[in-house]
Amino acid sequence: MSFPVFRILSYILGIVGTSLALPFAAALLWDGLRPALAFGVPMAAGWLAALACALAGRRGGGLQLDVRNAFMTVGGAWIAIGVFGALPLYLSGAFPSFVDAVFESVSGFTTTGATVAADVEALPHSVNLWRCQTHWLGGMGVIALAVALIPLLGVGGFRMIKAETTGPEKGKVTARITNTAKVLWAVYSGLTLLQAVLLHACGMGWFDAVCHAFSTLGTGGFSTRNASVGAFSSPAIEWICTVFMLLASVNFALYYQLLKGRVGDVFRDSELRTFVGLALGAIWVTTAVQSVGYSSLSEALRYSAFQVASIMSTTGFMTADYAGWHPSAQLVLFVLFFVGGCSGSTAGGVKVIRWTVLWKQLENEFRRILHPHGVFTMRINGLAGRGEFVPLVASFLFVYLLLVLLTSFVGTLAGLDLVTAFTGALSMVGNVGPAFGALGPTENCGALHPALKCWYAFAMLAGRLEIYTLLILLGGLFHRRVPNRRV
């Protein structure tokens, strides 16, 4: 691993260390000396690592990375922050096992939201704040944050952001990648602040409002309450979370287009139209099926819309135990495990754009059968000739499902039943959080075998980085001869 890679990793740890200042202040205010030290020591360590590498490389100028080092940087950074973020959880005593602390940290940064904590309300305020804050940091991406904050990373930053950002089509919304990262983080921060204010206006305390805004916009699902959002028993709070979970599932580049007044480009977006159609269709079917299980149609709509938004956005918040719903409603939610949010959003899953591409390809195949001599093209966002996406989507789905099946097999080896193992694998690889069976919405991962927790942590990281980045890093492919292109 080259020195520029180490240098960038140290800067990223410095940024994550700086973010510990907020839970450190919360620990001083509410929790006492031990939790404060648990956050203060890693915070100082992150600063020292960044300072040491900055001084060592101050004569080196810009940080240029070739393709292999860009992948190594992104993969290595996400592994490093997963372990680094576990330090305060372990040192505070909130998680007595370091494996549990790493699982919780990785689940937070990857916005999966699966937890090993049986009683989150018993955790210190600072720990709960950090858990939710990891969602927010990981949602938009720590690499994107680093590129936005450190001008030196502008050289080669686009390659790193492409390796971190979700979805098959990734581009710049501004001419400079540094400005793109700043724009995306500004929109992200603005929506987070807006939701926190709205939640507070509806009766949440500021601490709970900030934590749940972090978790919602990061589509993570960690909560400060054991019963998740349902603990507040507030239709207004539930509707706010429903709306913002869906907003967080939309490509954030489209918000920039809206701010620039390019409304037509937003409405032409094929993925957005498909996403809205799928969400509304799932809500309608679930509401119709569950209408007999609630006192009124409006109540059925409220609970159905919340759970559809929660699963489709891969947030994982709960207001109802869907394990007790009608099997047809459960099937709708199960299908959504395969869908996810939009490309370029904070949501996990396969992504709507990939299913959109496959559907359009299927339409073209039917046309070719009926008109063998016809010439057909695929249109995405109103542009023709996008057929090059098909092999990319097909190869990704193959690797994605292969990892799901492998993770299911590991789950069965660890003693899980087939339903729990398969849906748990879908949840971990898709960064959803809850599953079915023994890992359902009212359960947690605390009783899992430590080896399975470690594998699940790998699956969560692989899913967050869309598999290729982490597999390339760990697969030894860097030893092959590849073109050493600068980016």
Side-chain angles (χ1 to χ4, degrees):
M1 188 179 292
S2 63
F3 176 72
V5 174
F6 275 116
R7 190 177 171 193
I8 294 173
L9 291 180
S10 70
Y11 289 159
I12 291 172
L13 290 183
I15 291 172
V16 176
T18 302
S19 70
L20 290 171
L22 188 58
F24 174 71
L28 291 177
L29 182 61
W30 287 303
D31 302 328
L33 181 61
R34 181 178 179 182
L37 289 175
F39 287 98
V41 171
M43 179 170 60
W47 289 344
L48 288 175
L51 179 62
C53 282
L55 292 176
R58 59 183 176 179
R59 296 180 181 178
L63 292 170
Q64 297 193 19
L65 295 174
D66 56 39
V67 175
R68 78 174 65 177
N69 280 335
F71 275 102
M72 290 181 70
T73 300
V74 173
W78 276 84
I79 294 173
I81 64 172
V83 176
F84 185 79
L87 293 177
L89 300 179
Y90 179 67
L91 295 175
S92 66
F95 295 84
S97 164
F98 190 65
V99 170
D100 284 353
V102 171
F103 180 95
E104 197 81 4
S105 175
V106 170
S107 179
F109 279 110
T110 59
T111 74
T112 304
T115 182
V116 295
D119 185 5
V120 298
E121 294 178 20
L123 297 175
H125 283 72
S126 54
V127 170
N128 267 328
L129 178 58
W130 176 238
R131 291 169 68 245
C132 297
Q133 193 178 340
T134 57
H135 283 332
W136 194 73
L137 292 170
M140 185 57 65
V142 288
I143 300 296
L145 180 60
V147 170
L149 295 178
I150 304 174
L152 288 176
L153 300 187
V155 181
F158 186 50
R159 173 64 64 179
M160 290 192 295
I161 287 182
K162 284 182 68 177
E164 180 186 58
T165 305
T166 58
E169 187 176 25
K170 305 156 188 176
K172 303 176 183 179
V173 298
T174 64
R176 293 174 56 86
I177 189 59
T178 301
N179 292 336
T180 294
K182 289 179 180 178
V183 165
L184 294 179
W185 267 96
V187 172
Y188 187 49
S189 301
L191 288 174
T192 305
L193 178 61
L194 176 60
Q195 188 192 0
V197 170
L198 291 175
L199 289 175
H200 180 67
C202 291
M204 266 194 187
W206 276 116
F207 178 79
D208 287 328
V210 170
C211 286
H212 285 85
F214 280 160
S215 291
T216 304
L217 266 298
T219 60
F222 280 157
S223 176
T224 57
R225 304 297 179 93
N226 293 328
S228 190
V229 176
F232 299 95
S233 300
S234 170
I237 287 175
E238 291 172 22
W239 277 115
I240 289 170
C241 289
T242 299
V243 170
F244 277 88
M245 283 189 288
L246 293 174
L247 290 176
S249 304
V250 174
N251 190 332
F252 275 78
L254 296 182
Y255 295 123
Y256 177 76
Q257 303 294 346
L258 279 177
L259 293 174
K260 299 294 288 186
R262 301 169 186 165
V263 180
D265 292 341
V266 174
F267 284 104
R268 276 194 299 270
D269 190 84
S270 302
E271 184 180 29
L272 178 62
R273 294 202 306 268
T274 305
F275 173 79
V276 172
L278 286 173
L280 293 178
I283 291 171
W284 180 81
V285 172
T286 308
T287 302
V289 172
Q290 284 299 115
S291 60
V292 296
Y294 290 98
S295 59
S296 65
L297 183 61
S298 62
E299 187 179 40
L301 173 62
R302 187 177 101 229
Y303 284 107
S304 297
F306 188 95
Q307 292 308 142
V308 166
S310 180
I311 298 300
M312 193 169 184
S313 68
T314 70
T315 303
F317 280 148
M318 293 296 131
T319 56
D321 183 4
Y322 59 74
W325 281 11
H326 191 280
S328 298
Q330 292 187 50
L331 179 61
V332 172
L333 296 181
F334 175 73
V335 171
L336 295 180
F337 273 71
F338 290 90
V339 179
C342 296
S343 174
S345 70
T346 62
V350 174
K351 301 297 181 300
V352 174
I353 185 62
R354 293 190 172 96
W355 297 115
T356 303
V357 168
L358 291 181
W359 178 259
K360 289 180 176 291
Q361 179 65 19
L362 180 63
E363 289 180 334
N364 281 343
E365 293 303 324
F366 276 120
R367 293 190 183 103
R368 288 190 181 95
I369 292 173
L370 295 175
H371 307 283
H373 302 292
V375 177
F376 306 100
T377 186
M378 180 182 296
R379 289 183 176 272
I380 301 292
N381 301 337
L383 301 176
R386 311 311 297 273
E388 74 274 6
F389 282 141
V390 176
L392 296 176
V393 170
S395 60
F396 174 83
L397 282 174
F398 174 77
V399 177
Y400 187 93
L401 293 176
L402 191 64
L403 181 58
V404 168
L405 291 176
L406 180 58
T407 303
S408 301
F409 179 69
V410 173
T412 58
L413 290 178
L416 299 181
D417 63 88
L418 186 59
V419 171
T420 301
F422 182 66
T423 59
L426 280 175
S427 178
M428 299 303 159
V429 178
N431 304 132
V432 179
F436 287 85
L439 296 178
T442 62
E443 307 296 332
N444 63 75
C445 300
L448 297 179
H449 192 280
L452 181 58
K453 292 175 184 175
C454 293
W455 181 267
Y456 274 175
F458 165 76
M460 288 187 282
L461 282 170
R464 173 58 182 83
L465 298 176
E466 303 227 308
I467 303 176
Y468 291 125
T469 298
L470 201 58
L471 292 186
I472 289 175
L473 174 65
L474 301 178
L477 297 181
F478 293 109
H479 299 294
R480 299 182 181 181
R481 294 183 176 274
V482 293
N484 197 28
R485 294 191 295 112
R486 296 285 183 184
V487 293

